Amino acid sequence: MAGLMAGFGNFTHAVVRAIPESLAKDALRMNKFDVDLSKAQREHELYVNVLKNKLGLEVVELPADESLPDCVFVEDAAVVCGDTALITRPGAESRRKETEAMKKALTDLNLNIVEMTDESASLDGGDVLFTGREFFVGLSKRTNQRGAEILADAFKDYAVSTVPVVEGLHLKSFCSMGGPGLIVIGSSEHAQKALKIMQQMSDHRYDKLTVPDDIAANCIYMNLPSKGHVLLHCTPEEFPESAKVFEKLKDHMLIPVSNMEKVKVDGALTCCSVLINKRTNV
Amino acid sequence: MVMCQVTMLDGSQFPCEVEKRAKGQYLFFKVCETLNLLEKDYFGLSFKDNTDQTCWLDPLKEMKRQIRNAPWNFSFNVKFYPPDPSQLTEDITRYLLCLQLRQDIASGRLPCSFVTHALLGSYTLQAELGDHDPDEHRTDYISDFHFAPSQTREMEEKVVELHKSHRGMTPAQADTQFLENAKKLSMFGVDLHHAKDSEGVDIMLGVCANGLLIYKDRLRINRFAWPKILKISYKRSNFYIKIRPGETEQFESTVGFKLPNHRAAKRLWKVCVENHTFFRLMTPEQPTKAKFLTLGSKFRYSGRTQAQTRQASSLIDRPAPYFQRTSSKRISRSLDGAPVISVISDGSGPEGGKENGRDPALELSSDSKEDEEPSDGAAAAATTAAASNSAEEDADESEATLRKSKLRVQGENIYVRHSNLMLEDLDKTQDDVLKHQASISELKRSFMEATPEPRPSQWDKRLTASPATSLRLQAQGKSPPRMETFLPESKDVVKSADDKQKSEAVAAATAAQPVVEIEETVIVEEVRKTPKPAAAASEVLEVQAVASQEPQEAAKVAVEEKKPAIEASISSDSESEEEAEYHPQTTSVSVEQIKEEPEEEQEEAELNKQEPSPEPEPIAVAEPEIAPAPVPVQPVVEDGTPNAKEEAQPVVDVVDDGIVEEEMMLTPDEAPNGYSAEDMQGLGSLEEEEQEPRMNGDASHVETEHLPQVICCSEPPVVKTEMVTISDTFAAQKTEIATKEVPIVHTETKTITYEAAQLDGSGDGEPGVLMTAQTITSESLCTTTTTHITKTLKGGLSETRIEKRIVITGDSDIDHDQALAQAIKEAKEQHPDMSVTRVVVHKETELAEDED
């Protein structure tokens, strides 16, 4: 019997979504970059392939919706922890409808669905860092206090602390979990500052792994029955220095995954999937 | 005799007859006895006061004085939630903790998810009903149980499903599983209090084993771990914490919160003091030394700390006591919504729980913690109003009036959150380095507060005049060593003996001096301390009495004589509790070392309040005389290696035109008797400290070399203290610092304390025996030097402590740094084999002006 808060990183399913053609032109982005659509699509295929074939997750692939240029970034539409899925209310108006398909997919997976209906609330999943013991929610351009409150209500077992995100898009634009109790963090000043706040706010101790590039700090950690610690991280081509740091993780099965095109529209590795564990959790 | 009703955790009632003047502990021990509970330190009795607020029954005080007009109904509850219940020794303790948590969960005070409700519920079924029996346990068998504030059919089905999966699990195992899961809940053991931040925004303050948590709605917006908190205080309805400076900060900052009323502020403060002591310290802190009559509450946690109780528990050697895990009693009561209410409303107490002094009425209005009590926001409001009324009743009338007039001024303090405050966690080195290298001239720098020299409060004076006082003085001739035979804890013993001697000495010394009032205050001090030993006197006492040497008549007499005085002081306690402060760990040194800085920032306004007193007002000058007893006992480790140990603690007090005191304690660096290296490093390991209380008493720890390491200085807050507001980190980072006014306190009192970290962890409970104590006094024109030497024998270790006090009275301006340096130098020269453990310079030039 898996107890409460056991099995961090244990996943059986993933929800992903295809890239619409509108992404290249219409997807939101903080900087003006031209996106090579076909390259982005190839990149995404590889990503899904890793989840499905290399890691053996059951992958639910939602079709692209041309009216939702950012829809590939499914992470923002839902926060799943244990049996509960919180359907968010994304901060960007143009992305609100992305949650519809997500809600359906998660309902089909038999999760307890909690919806964020409050019109004053906004929350992007990219601002939610779940450490296995607690949540940190970045208060950013996309996520507000009310959104964080609703998240806290949805996941009552856990402490939910807020962290200001003053630069970058999301909280997870410069950090993520690299293992149980291991926070991967970028080197920028605001990233380091956010880490300190998280450490201060927590009753738990976290180790940190600092990588030179903020966006490289966004990686995907899993703990899979047959594979142990798995880490999907940036490729050496994109971030050579940061990749070297990841290579020091000896206990992890390291899988570099290219994210060159999607990053141009502020998509990080975690953005492109919602990971679910249907096996344990009581 | 009075009949008390105690509501037990299983919902049953325990009637108990007590004497009208019985203390809280009498009833508590009766209850524990009935429960067959040995690990009792995690528990407490609570009651509802006449404003319907839940309070913890102070074991050391008379019950009657605490409950006042409220009915004699109490509730047995968990007071300190052990963060790791698996470390409890006995199943029965775990069982009781389970019962408390089930109440907490069912009432909504401990929020959890659907799945968690179901999981915990299933363990409850397994523990109480055993394996699922398909014949006996049809689906409705669980509707008698109350697992969640709102229990659905779906949840019950889930519970049953999970119950089936626990087949074969014993009740004790099921309880353990229950606790292993419950302890991970984020609100486990968090005692919430309503408050407002500087902007009037509603927040919740949560006190727990690790520190203080700040919540806005459900979100945690800040956290102050105990090691970061230098001081906890309250003043009227304001509650303050002073925060250790962060990496980029030079100054401490003070964070203020507004509580609904004075009593709420005081209750929060008490809970903080208790939780800090219980979870962070090795031994309880001594009650405030009378030297610095802080006017405020002298309240200190008097029970055993977690470390002590664990140690004691490890010695439990009895077959597991039989107890019945029957759900029947609870089913008819707490497991069902309605009965709970009735239980509570009949005044019998928390039932649904108000552990940790929680105040159900207040919690009602929090959305995260609903209480099962019928009234909602209205009740909270009502109680608030009521509480403030009674708060005033508390005080003397004159006081009340005065307070009103001061309130305007007081209430306007603006606190501004300091932006870097919360970022300092990782960085302790600077702080450390500073302290480590602190030279005499730096003493003043790091920790400064004002000490308007308080006048003795009314009870002090009353005591002075009381017969008890004179009796005590007469008892002087008796040999102090005898005293401790009756006292449960060595340090108390030594301490009181110490005080006594000191006071005698001082009294004698000052007889011919201008400072006449010393005598009074000193006496007060003695009296002040006695409640502690008396209180601690639970089981330990018996053991002690047997173990230690023959009781002597003389000693007995002395002890008895003390009694009236003790009571007097207790009874008058509440009158002067307008505010109080507490220093969690000024220096990460353990309790004994943490001296109460005389840094009361009380404004004169408050001093004035105290003035209307029955006794002739002593000259303010007198007070500082009463140096806090330097807690000279170094506890000996349980299995202590028989190392002879010596300590010397000169105390130097210097008094000048106002008063300057220096107090110095010497302790030889020495013997491996169980101090951990970590302790020695003092602040060096802030982060580690957060993880666990320092286990000085642990045999495995090795004592290291040490030099005095910790230094704190006090000076007027005008200089150093920034008043800071609470707001969340976000605001902090956005630097929305609305710095408004820094409240300025005019005061001319200064205290500098220098402490060695070395004594850290002293007082691990092993009683010591005071071997000898002598006091030598020498006088010159304007200087009085009192040397006080105590030898204590504890478990084969002998320890010598020299305390030297120099009181300088005069008009000349004394250079403190020099005086201090000189004192240390002399002490070192005179006792080269000993180390200085504490030096206090206390100076009072003139009374501060009223800031009004």
Side-chain angles (χ1 to χ4, degrees), chain B residues 174-217:
Chain B
D175 279 350
T176 302
Q177 285 302 312
F178 179 98
L179 294 174
E180 285 306 293
N181 285 285
K183 76 174 186 189
K184 294 177 189 164
L185 296 168
S186 82
M187 299 306 285
F188 173 87
V190 178
D191 179 15
L192 287 179
H193 298 251
H194 270 282
K196 286 189 194 303
D197 69 7
S198 58
E199 284 145 20
V201 176
D202 284 317
I203 55 167
M204 300 285 277
L205 301 182
V207 184
C208 67
N210 295 324
L212 197 58
L213 302 166
I214 320 294
Y215 295 91
K216 188 145 91 194
D217 295 302

Side-chain angles (χ1 to χ4, degrees), chain B residues 66-200:
Chain B
Q66 299 182 63
I67 60 170
R68 303 197 180 174
N69 303 325
W72 292 69
N73 293 333
F74 302 92
S75 185
F76 180 77
N77 288 103
V78 173
K79 187 173 186 183
F80 303 111
Y81 289 70
D84 186 1
S86 65
Q87 287 202 35
L88 295 173
T89 300
E90 296 198 299
D91 285 342
I92 188 168
T93 318
R94 268 186 288 274
Y95 169 65
L96 292 170
L97 179 57
C98 280
L99 292 181
Q100 177 71 66
L101 287 164
R102 284 171 198 164
Q103 286 181 9
D104 295 348
I105 290 167
S107 68
R109 195 172 22 259
L110 178 56
C112 44
S113 66
F114 175 89
V115 172
T116 305
H117 276 129
L119 180 65
L120 296 177
S122 69
Y123 287 124
T124 300
L125 290 188
Q126 184 69 23
E128 301 203 340
L129 304 178
D131 290 348
H132 179 81
D133 181 342
D135 297 327
E136 194 186 332
H137 300 149
R138 309 204 187 282
T139 45
D140 59 348
Y141 76 107
I142 63 160
S143 44
D144 288 339
F145 287 83
H146 192 204
F147 302 113
S150 52
Q151 189 163 320
T152 60
R153 187 81 195 159
E154 191 193 0
M155 184 182 291
E156 291 180 358
E157 281 164 10
K158 185 77 179 170
V159 172
V160 174
E161 182 192 321
L162 292 167
H163 181 199
K164 289 176 185 164
S165 73
H166 301 325
R167 183 162 297 278
M169 201 179 272
T170 66
Q173 286 170 333
D175 279 350
T176 302
Q177 285 302 312
F178 179 98
L179 294 174
E180 285 306 293
N181 285 285
K183 76 174 186 189
K184 294 177 189 164
L185 296 168
S186 82
M187 299 306 285
F188 173 87
V190 178
D191 179 15
L192 287 179
H193 298 251
H194 270 282
K196 286 189 194 303
D197 69 7
S198 58
E199 284 145 20

Side-chain angles (χ1 to χ4, degrees), chain A residues 193, chain B residues 198-199 249 253 414-422 722-742:
Chain A
K193 206 164 181 179
Chain B
S198 58
E199 284 145 20
E249 295 175 330
S253 42
I414 305 298
Y415 317 112
V416 181
R417 181 75 187 78
H418 203 288
S419 59
N420 285 320
L421 224 169
M422 48 232 339
E722 279 176 63
M723 288 309 248
V724 173
T725 223
I726 5 92
S727 69
D728 51 292
T729 47
F730 195 24
Q733 206 177 47
K734 288 198 298 188
T735 57
E736 287 173 354
I737 310 170
T739 314
K740 300 191 183 160
E741 275 293 309
V742 173

Side-chain angles (χ1 to χ4, degrees), chain B residues 45 52 185 225 230 270 364 431 474 490 503 535 574 579 708 737 755 812 818:
Chain B
L45 290 175
D52 212 34
L185 296 168
L230 292 169
K270 276 185 158 185
L364 285 173
D431 199 288
Q474 285 161 16
S490 64
S503 49
S574 59
E579 64 178 35
I737 310 170
E755 290 186 310
S812 62
Q818 213 192 341

